[in-house]
Structures are given as C-alpha cells and as structure tokens.
C-alpha cells in the first residue's frame, strides 16, 4: 500500500506541477510567442515519443506478448477519441450573442475540462510505469510534466483574458492536473494484479499518449 500511495503522490506532484508552471506563465506574461509554445510542446512531445518507442512498448512486449500490446494501444486511442467526442459534444461554445470576453472565458474552461480528462491516462502511464520499473515511472513523470507546461498556458491565457481573477485561474489550472494523480493511483492498483495487466496498461498509456501527442502538436501548428 505504501508503494501505491508513493506512486499516487508522484503522479499528483508532476501532473499538477507542469500545469501550474504553465498557468503561472500564462497569467504573468502579457504576450505569448507561438513559436516558443510550439517549441516547448514539440520538445516535450519528442520526449514522450521516445519513451513510448524505447521504454513503454519494449517493456510491454518483454513482459507480455504482441497481441496484448496491440490491444492496449488500440484501447488507449479509442478511449481518447471517445473523451474528445464527449468534450466536443457537451462543451461546445455557441458564438451567437456571446461577447468576446465570455467566449474566451468559456474557451479556457472547456480546455481545462478536456485536459483534465486527458490527464487521466497520463497518470495511468505513470502508475503502470512504476509497476514495471522505477526508471520508467520517473521518465514518464518528467516527460508528462514538461508536456503539461504549454497545456497550462493554453488554459490560463483565455481565462485571464476573459476577465477571471488570476488566483482563480491558477486554482482551476491546478485542479485540472489532479486527475493525473488519480490515474497514477488506478495504474498502480491495476498494475499490481499481474504482469500481463501491467503490459496492457503500458500499451494503453502508449496509445493514449500517441493520440495526445499527435492531436496537440497538430492543433498548435494550425
């Protein structure tokens, strides 16, 4: 139980730390360079891609088999597509009769909800990663933390420009990162069942992270 609590706290710390740093940057900086944000996001995405290719999937294949790995990847991608559809359907902004300030505010809130949902599989990756090895778990936690910095900025800027108090913006940004800790807790518990379950969790996280990387990088480049 101590290991599960430790893993949860690590996931919670790194999940909230990255988004909080991004939120603070978004709140205190007046102008935001798209090139800088794109660089940070691309750098973090590159780290995550390296971990997926050289750590997550090889570890999953080593402790299980190809079928379980493919199943986990497809499950992770399907889950993220479903999450995106739910967010788009439930929280789409209708532009009619809405001021620019309100639109910005609602945009920030919607982004924070979407990222809170997406942070869960990232936490799952951390939790299951620690189930495989401490090195893998820490590598994932650091990469996810870096990846969350530009996400925190993307949450904070529209809410700040929409007229929300800076303290409340930071609070919502921190809250969106808590789901990473929840995911780490679930990953640690599920991963303790068997090595095959760990392998499926690792490949599930790989699939989810691949989807997040491709979608976020593509959306920033547009």
């Amino acid at each position: 139980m101590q290991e599960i609590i430790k893993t949860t706290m690590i996931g919670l710390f790194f999940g909230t730390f990255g988004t909080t740093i991004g939120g603070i940057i978004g709140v205190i900086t007046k102008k935001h360079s798209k090139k800088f944000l794109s660089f940070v996001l691309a750098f973090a995405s590159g780290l995550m891609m390296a971990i997926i290719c050289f750590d997550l999937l090889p570890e999953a294949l080593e402790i299980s088999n190809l079928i379980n790995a493919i199943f986990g990847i497809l499950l992770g991608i399907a889950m993220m597509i479903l999450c995106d559809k739910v967010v788009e359907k439930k929280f789409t902004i209708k532009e009619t009769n809405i001021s620019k300030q309100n639109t910005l505010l609602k945009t920030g809130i919607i982004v924070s909800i979407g990222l809170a949902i997406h942070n869960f599989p990232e936490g799952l990756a951390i939790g299951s990663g620690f189930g495989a090895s401490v090195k893998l778990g820490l590598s994932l936690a650091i990469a996810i933390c870096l990846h969350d910095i530009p996400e925190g900025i993307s949450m904070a800027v529209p809410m700040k420009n929409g007229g929300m108090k800076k303290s409340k913006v930071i609070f919502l940004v921190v809250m969106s990162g808590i789901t990473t800790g929840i995911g780490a807790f679930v990953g640690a518990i599920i991963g303790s069942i068997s090595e095959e379950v760990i392998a499926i969790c690792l490949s599930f996280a790989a699939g989810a992270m691949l989807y997040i990387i491709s979608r976020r990088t593509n959306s920033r480049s547009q």
Side-chain angles (χ1 to χ4, degrees):
M1 190 63 186
Q2 270 189 333
E3 290 300 317
I4 293 175
I5 294 173
K6 187 187 295 183
T7 300
T8 302
M9 295 307 294
I10 290 173
L12 184 62
F13 172 77
F14 282 99
T16 55
F17 185 76
T19 52
T20 302
I21 292 297
I24 292 172
I25 293 172
V27 164
I28 65 175
T29 307
K30 292 183 178 180
K31 292 184 179 180
H32 304 274
S33 169
K34 288 185 178 180
K35 289 183 178 180
F36 172 73
L37 293 179
S38 296
F39 170 77
V40 173
L41 187 60
F43 175 75
S45 296
L47 284 178
M48 293 176 74
M49 183 66 75
I51 290 171
I52 290 169
C53 295
F54 301 117
D55 288 313
L56 274 178
L57 293 180
E59 188 72 33
L61 291 171
E62 185 177 335
I63 61 180
S64 186
N65 53 59
L66 182 61
I67 294 174
N68 283 338
I70 293 174
F71 172 73
I73 291 170
L74 294 177
L75 189 63
I77 294 172
M79 182 63 69
M80 296 314 299
I81 291 173
L82 178 63
C83 288
D84 269 351
K85 294 297 181 183
V86 169
V87 171
E88 288 175 8
K89 185 176 180 180
K90 297 292 184 181
F91 304 102
T92 302
I93 298 175
K94 295 180 180 179
E95 299 290 345
T96 308
N97 297 324
I98 297 179
S99 68
K100 183 179 179 181
Q101 191 176 45
N102 284 338
T103 301
L104 285 169
L105 185 60
K106 290 189 176 183
T107 298
I109 293 172
I110 290 169
V111 170
S112 66
I113 292 170
L115 292 177
I117 294 172
H118 289 170
N119 281 341
F120 180 83
E122 292 183 352
L124 185 67
I126 295 172
S128 54
F130 273 104
S133 70
V134 174
K135 179 184 176 183
L136 178 58
L138 284 175
S139 298
L140 283 166
I142 293 169
I144 287 169
C145 179
L146 291 172
H147 190 263
D148 284 344
I149 293 175
E151 306 294 12
I153 296 173
S154 70
M155 281 185 265
V157 171
M159 286 192 285
K160 182 194 72 172
N161 293 340
M164 184 180 287
K165 290 182 179 179
K166 292 181 179 180
S167 58
K168 191 172 182 180
V169 171
I170 298 299
F171 173 75
L172 291 177
V173 168
V174 172
M175 290 299 292
S176 71
I178 288 178
T179 50
T180 308
I182 297 172
F185 176 74
V186 173
I189 291 178
I190 294 176
S192 63
I193 297 174
S194 70
E195 286 193 340
E196 284 200 350
V197 174
I198 291 177
I200 293 174
C201 285
L202 291 174
S203 52
F204 172 90
M209 289 165 66
L210 279 171
Y211 179 84
I212 292 169
I213 291 168
S214 60
R215 183 168 175 80
R216 289 287 171 265
T217 305
N218 182 59
S219 66
R220 291 296 182 279
S221 64
Q222 293 176 349

